[in-house]
Amino acid sequence: MTRAQLRALTLKEGEVAGAHEAGNPVLDPQPKEEQRSFPPVSDAACQAVLDIRGGERASAVVSQEFNWKGDIWGGGSTLAAYEDGKAQQAFARLKQALGTCRSYEGTAWMGKFKTTLTVVQPLIVGDESVRFLETIPMGPEHPGDRNEQFTVVRAGNTIVTFRKLNLGGSASFPSDLIHRQVERLREAQRP
């Protein structure tokens, strides 16, 4: 699948209940020369998780931002298309990496951070799926932890990652939207 095909399969305005007036923009990846690069995180297995959830080795990638009324944290999705058989290989690497990745340290826009990763019960969707929670303690100036839940689903030759952010609580990306997006990707790949 091409980037244009992935874009055409994203969720459209009116399909996302409670969406903010700004809508749910679809974004192409920044050109490599414009991306800010950060050093790899402290654990190689955890770096593999980050790379796969971001579509690092995919042949085409788009992302979509989701902002709901009354929810200041929002969420997003990353749709990544792979050449034949490569999505299956990437997903196998993801599952293997999740078997050992428990915590890691890294540097991001906000500076240095330490994250713990917890695998949780997956949503039954697509050809295979995993779900995990990444937690960053925010310190005394911000009560509560930064929790981001990731649901990663393989549908044929695509891998789609859904993320939902919350501070001091927990939240999941709406499962009806996950099912709708995954089914759309599966339908597009049927002969």
Side-chain angles (χ1 to χ4, degrees):
M1 290 183 135
T2 65
R3 189 179 299 160
Q5 288 170 314
L6 288 176
R7 270 181 155 280
L9 296 170
T10 59
L11 298 170
K12 306 298 178 240
E13 206 170 312
E15 290 185 290
V16 181
H20 198 272
E21 292 83 21
N24 304 297
V26 178
L27 310 167
D28 292 328
Q30 281 186 310
K32 288 278 186 216
E33 61 274 3
E34 291 179 27
Q35 291 178 10
R36 181 164 175 203
S37 65
F38 297 102
V41 297
S42 61
D43 182 289
C46 296
Q47 185 63 54
V49 171
L50 272 62
D51 290 347
I52 294 164
R53 79 168 197 224
E56 193 63 40
R57 293 197 176 103
S59 56
V61 177
V62 298
S63 61
Q64 187 167 21
E65 297 299 317
F66 293 88
N67 294 293
W68 292 277
K69 294 173 187 165
D71 179 356
I72 62 169
W73 306 115
S77 64
T78 301
L79 284 67
Y82 293 79
E83 295 168 17
D84 276 346
K86 297 220 169 147
Q88 230 169 338
Q89 293 168 8
F91 210 86
R93 280 194 312 278
L94 174 65
K95 289 196 290 191
Q96 182 179 10
L98 286 172
T100 59
C101 174
R102 294 293 166 258
S103 68
Y104 62 90
E105 294 178 27
T107 305
W109 296 105
M110 65 208 174
K112 293 192 178 296
F113 66 92
K114 180 171 176 131
T115 296
T116 57
L117 188 145
T118 309
V119 177
V120 295
Q121 186 69 34
L123 187 66
I124 306 303
V125 62
D127 295 316
E128 47 190 336
S129 66
V130 294
R131 186 176 263 183
F132 55 93
L133 182 67
E134 292 190 11
T135 304
I136 300 174
M138 294 305 289
E141 67 279 2
H142 299 286
D145 295 335
R146 180 188 191 277
N147 293 306
E148 196 162 9
Q149 186 187 76
F150 293 88
T151 302
V152 187
V153 182
R154 184 180 68 81
N157 289 319
T158 61
I159 294 177
V160 58
T161 301
F162 302 91
R163 67 185 191 288
K164 180 68 183 86
L165 178 63
N166 203 289
L167 198 60
S170 64
S172 297
F173 197 93
S175 60
D176 63 318
L177 297 179
I178 292 174
H179 283 282
R180 189 176 308 155
Q181 181 65 82
V182 169
E183 191 50 39
R184 196 169 285 176
L185 289 166
R186 290 177 81 164
E187 279 295 317
Q189 296 176 73
R190 288 202 172 102

